[in-house]
Amino acid sequence: MTSPSAIAPSTGHALVTGASSGIGAQIAREYARRGVPLVLTARRADRLEALAQELRAQVPVEVIAADLADPAAPALLVEEIGRRGAKIRILVNNAGYGVPGRYLKSDWKMHTDFLQVMVGAVSELTWRLLPSIRDAGDGRILNVASFAALMPAADGQTLYAPAKSFLLKFSEALALENANRGVHVTALCPGFTYSEFHDVTGTRAKMRVSPRMWLDTAEVARAGIDGNERGDVLVVPGWRYRLMHAVVKLLPHRTAMGLMARNSRKVRPLD
């Protein structure tokens, strides 16, 4: 973790995980535009510091580099936040990635790291920070899930879709538990979004998706934050994805599974 520096007093900070690029970086920019002080975390300290330098003209920004695949990282991160004097009012659980290929293509260590980042770290950070979020009186939790959580799982999404489904159900339960404490909890479920996601998984060149289905990170970030402020538990950016969600809910499960089986290899060919 990076060395501490002073945080200016405020009514509460937003902690954004996975803030070094993509949707996480854009969420940080949007909160900065709205005047919310930030604590940014991800593995890549250089990327975080570059973003922090960009945003410090608007709000106080702290950088704490951490690898959430390490089971010890969530507790150390929260400890460091407290040591720097920050009070977290908003938690954005955004850190995540995809593992390319079918289930047996990756070794078990890759899968355990994935589950730690996508499920374990999210659960622990929320548990550790929820008291301060509740104490704020207008606390917020924004969990960046995926449209994959709303569809039958695709070929090659053996753990990704279940992890994102967990985020959705986790958000729903937290929203009910904390509604009387002024806490808004939202699952943000974007579809295909222009970011580094498919570059990291090595599937960018294989994607066969209509340009009309791609979302911009700024659009996704605004939709998530606006929906969270309204108290929406589920946010699906883009009218095409909202229409698709409505249609899929009306289909028999066997039919939906059949359509996914037919289309998944067109979208993401696998070995």
Side-chain angles (χ1 to χ4, degrees):
M1 294 189 176
T2 56
S3 58
S5 60
I7 293 181
S10 72
T11 57
H13 293 70
L15 169 63
V16 184
T17 71
S20 60
S21 65
I23 294 173
Q26 204 59 49
I27 287 174
R29 290 187 178 99
E30 184 62 23
Y31 273 124
R33 190 183 68 80
R34 300 178 188 214
V36 179
L38 295 164
V39 178
L40 307 179
T41 189
R43 290 180 298 114
R44 297 176 291 189
D46 57 338
R47 291 278 197 97
L48 288 176
E49 194 54 50
L51 179 61
Q53 291 297 333
E54 171 192 335
L55 301 181
R56 281 181 180 133
Q58 299 171 275
V59 293
V61 182
E62 283 295 312
V63 168
I64 306 175
D67 183 358
L68 294 179
D70 179 356
L76 292 173
L77 175 59
V78 172
E79 180 182 343
E80 180 68 8
I81 289 169
R83 194 160 71 91
R84 298 191 190 193
K87 186 79 168 177
I88 300 302
R89 180 176 73 87
I90 301 169
L91 170 61
V92 181
N93 286 308
N94 167 77
Y97 57 96
V99 175
R102 294 188 172 101
Y103 196 41
L104 292 179
K105 185 177 180 180
S106 301
D107 62 29
W108 186 241
K109 177 63 164 59
M110 182 173 288
H111 289 320
T112 55
D113 286 351
F114 176 85
L115 289 170
Q116 172 59 28
V117 172
M118 304 287 279
V119 177
V122 169
S123 303
E124 184 174 352
L125 282 175
T126 303
W127 181 81
R128 291 185 179 280
L129 292 171
L130 187 55
S132 68
I133 293 170
R134 281 182 162 193
D135 289 346
D138 60 347
R140 305 285 185 257
I141 299 174
L142 178 59
N143 292 320
V144 181
S146 169
F147 193 69
L150 306 173
M151 300 284 285
D155 188 344
Q157 290 189 348
T158 322
L159 291 182
Y160 183 81
K164 293 301 188 179
S165 297
F166 165 81
L167 281 178
L168 174 57
K169 295 303 180 183
F170 185 54
S171 300
E172 290 172 344
L174 283 172
L176 292 175
E177 289 181 15
N178 294 281
N180 65 344
R181 303 297 293 265
V183 178
H184 292 178
V185 185
T186 299
L188 173 60
C189 293
F192 294 107
T193 304
Y194 287 114
S195 69
E196 292 184 354
F197 180 88
H198 297 101
D199 299 316
V200 172
T201 60
T203 56
R204 170 73 65 186
K206 298 179 180 179
M207 300 304 294
R208 302 172 185 173
V209 181
S210 167
R212 293 176 296 179
M213 298 304 294
W214 286 91
L215 302 169
D216 179 77
T217 54
E219 171 188 7
V220 171
R222 284 194 301 271
I225 295 172
D226 287 345
N228 183 249
E229 287 300 311
R230 288 193 303 267
D232 296 344
V233 178
L234 172 64
V235 172
V236 180
W239 68 266
R240 290 181 177 86
Y241 285 102
R242 290 192 289 273
L243 177 61
M244 193 186 308
H245 179 216
V247 170
V248 168
K249 287 196 296 184
L250 298 175
L251 294 176
H253 188 258
R254 181 187 294 270
T255 302
M257 284 287 291
L259 289 171
M260 182 59 74
R262 186 184 311 159
N263 292 326
S264 60
R265 290 180 182 84
K266 295 179 182 178
V267 174
R268 188 182 290 103
L270 297 169
D271 52 25

